[in-house]
Amino acid sequence: MHTMLSLKLPQLLNTHQVPKVFQEQGILFGYRHPRSSAADCLCSVFQMTNETVNIWTHFMAAWYFLWKLLALLYALDVWNDPFAWPLLAYAVTCCIYPLTSSIAHTFSTMSSRARHICYFFDYGALTLYSLEDWVGSTFHQNYIFVAVLNTVISTTLSCYSRLGLPYIHYNSSIIERFSEMERPRFSKVTRTMAFAYPYVYDSIPLFYRLYSCTARACTENAFSIHCLHIVFAWLTCFLFTTHLPERLAPGHFDYFGHSHQLFHICGITGTYFQMEALLVDMTDRRELLLASLPAPSFTQTFGSVLVSTIIGLVIIAAFSMTLYSLPKCSRKRSKQRD
């Protein structure tokens, strides 16, 4: 009976025991087996690995934002108030991206291809989250075109940064090529730009507003909250690109305190402040918006999210098919390289 009730947790490996595609800079221990079963992945959620904090920070955040979404649905007259739709659409994306990230981190060790596909979905969800910043901005008239275009470019670039493209060898056999392994610096720069440029472009109206407010010494209630959101957004980017602190002390931050964990925490904190600032703005600036902007339509809000989701899924499917459409011989060569 004791044997039946006991739970055998998967064995953890060090960086030399896993293929290169699974290795993280500065992380030496706490890796899960690169051929884990789905059950092993689920069990590892309750085991201290170098991914455990990543999984739980976004999983708990997803439930928090779901609670906020339900509170908004209860408090707002969503059927008769179109100005509430952009906020609700934004809140939906705030639930989707951390949940998708948590699932991706949980099942990313089932195989090298599963790892890439998991993060394709992770990047697509993060791109979708950046979409709704456009609604109600000074770019309102061009919102749909530019927002969907940003979704296509960002999702494509982020997926490409992991996979790259296959190439033809001299003997005419297709060799699978993961740009993340062969060109790590190019991959990192491409992925960073895929997420950074939509944020910077989407935030131009906010930056201008904060600059004008500072110049006029205004006292907007949301000013300090917006500033906190910007600080955490840039801190998130800094952590993602520098791999600090584990790069300076390899092996010392394998389980707690490495950059990706801090990246998750800062990203979620930034989203929290962003949502709080939008809630304050919705109250304080409602009359101004009603007087200066036409009411947003369902197409501009939830419709744009749906269209961008479909396009993102098509892009993810295309990259995923590339992974599984290669000849078996090339797959064997890829495993040998791993």
Side-chain angles (χ1 to χ4, degrees):
M1 180 64 70
H2 174 75
T3 304
M4 292 177 62
L5 294 177
S6 63
L7 177 64
K8 185 178 179 181
L9 295 175
Q11 180 183 1
L12 299 183
L13 309 175
N14 63 50
T15 187
H16 302 295
Q17 295 174 299
V18 297
K20 187 177 179 180
V21 68
F22 291 90
Q23 298 173 9
E24 299 290 345
Q25 183 178 5
I27 307 298
L28 303 184
F29 301 99
Y31 290 93
R32 295 173 292 173
H33 196 282
R35 290 286 178 179
S36 300
S37 65
D40 287 340
C41 290
L42 289 174
C43 287
S44 71
V45 171
F46 304 99
Q47 181 183 18
M48 198 62 241
T49 73
N50 57 31
E51 286 278 27
T52 305
V53 176
N54 292 332
I55 293 169
W56 282 101
T57 49
H58 272 184
F59 183 75
M60 292 187 295
W63 284 100
Y64 169 78
F65 288 124
L66 177 60
W67 171 74
K68 293 289 288 186
L69 173 61
L70 295 176
L72 289 173
L73 289 171
Y74 179 79
L76 300 175
D77 185 9
V78 295
W79 298 111
N80 301 312
D81 184 9
F83 275 94
W85 296 348
L87 181 62
L88 291 175
Y90 163 78
V92 169
T93 65
C94 288
C95 299
I96 292 174
Y97 95 81
L99 181 61
T100 305
S101 172
S102 180
I103 295 173
H105 280 281
T106 299
F107 295 101
S108 62
T109 54
M110 293 184 68
S111 70
S112 60
R113 286 163 183 78
R115 181 177 179 84
H116 288 291
I117 293 172
C118 281
Y119 289 120
F120 289 165
F121 280 99
D122 187 13
Y123 302 152
L126 190 57
T127 301
L128 186 66
Y129 160 70
S130 69
L131 173 70
E132 283 304 313
D133 284 344
W134 280 97
V135 181
S137 72
T138 54
F139 299 99
H140 184 77
Q141 293 180 349
N142 300 317
Y143 162 67
I144 295 179
F145 172 75
V146 180
V148 174
L149 180 63
N150 270 341
T151 300
V152 173
I153 295 175
S154 297
T155 305
T156 303
L157 283 177
S158 57
C159 291
Y160 174 79
S161 71
R162 294 198 67 88
L163 177 60
L165 294 173
Y167 63 93
I168 305 298
H169 198 255
Y170 63 89
N171 61 1
S172 298
S173 63
I174 300 179
I175 305 298
E176 187 174 5
R177 184 175 192 172
F178 292 129
S179 66
E180 187 177 36
M181 292 188 296
E182 298 189 0
R183 295 176 292 171
R185 183 168 298 182
F186 171 80
S187 175
K188 176 66 71 173
V189 171
T190 303
R191 196 175 308 161
T192 302
M193 290 300 298
F195 299 129
Y197 96 86
Y199 172 78
V200 172
Y201 194 66
D202 293 352
S203 299
I204 288 175
L206 176 61
F207 294 154
Y208 176 77
R209 175 185 159 193
L210 296 180
Y211 171 78
S212 300
C213 187
T214 303
R216 293 182 285 107
C218 66
T219 57
E220 291 189 10
N221 293 327
F223 181 85
S224 60
I225 310 177
H226 278 301
C227 289
L228 285 171
H229 157 241
I230 293 172
V231 168
F232 277 98
W234 286 104
L235 184 57
T236 300
C237 182
F238 172 80
L239 291 166
F240 180 76
T241 55
T242 60
H243 290 279
L244 294 174
E246 69 273 10
R247 193 178 68 179
L248 300 179
H252 288 76
F253 300 95
D254 293 349
Y255 300 97
F256 294 102
H258 64 72
S259 61
H260 203 85
Q261 294 173 353
L262 300 176
F263 164 79
H264 273 210
I265 294 170
C266 289
I268 288 297
T269 306
T271 301
Y272 165 79
F273 283 122
Q274 184 181 49
M275 179 177 286
E276 292 300 308
L278 291 175
L279 290 171
V280 173
D281 279 339
M282 188 173 180
T283 301
D284 293 354
R285 295 165 60 87
R286 181 179 178 84
E287 297 302 323
L288 174 64
L289 292 174
L290 287 172
S292 59
L293 289 174
S297 66
F298 186 87
T299 301
Q300 291 173 316
T301 52
F302 291 99
S304 63
V305 171
L306 179 60
V307 170
S308 297
T309 300
I310 294 173
I311 294 176
L313 290 174
V314 170
I315 295 171
I316 291 169
F319 277 95
S320 299
M321 288 174 63
T322 301
L323 283 170
Y324 285 95
S325 63
L326 298 171
K328 291 184 178 180
C329 60
S330 69
R331 294 181 184 178
K332 291 180 180 178
R333 290 189 182 110
S334 176
K335 292 176 182 178
Q336 291 172 357
R337 290 199 306 274
D338 288 348

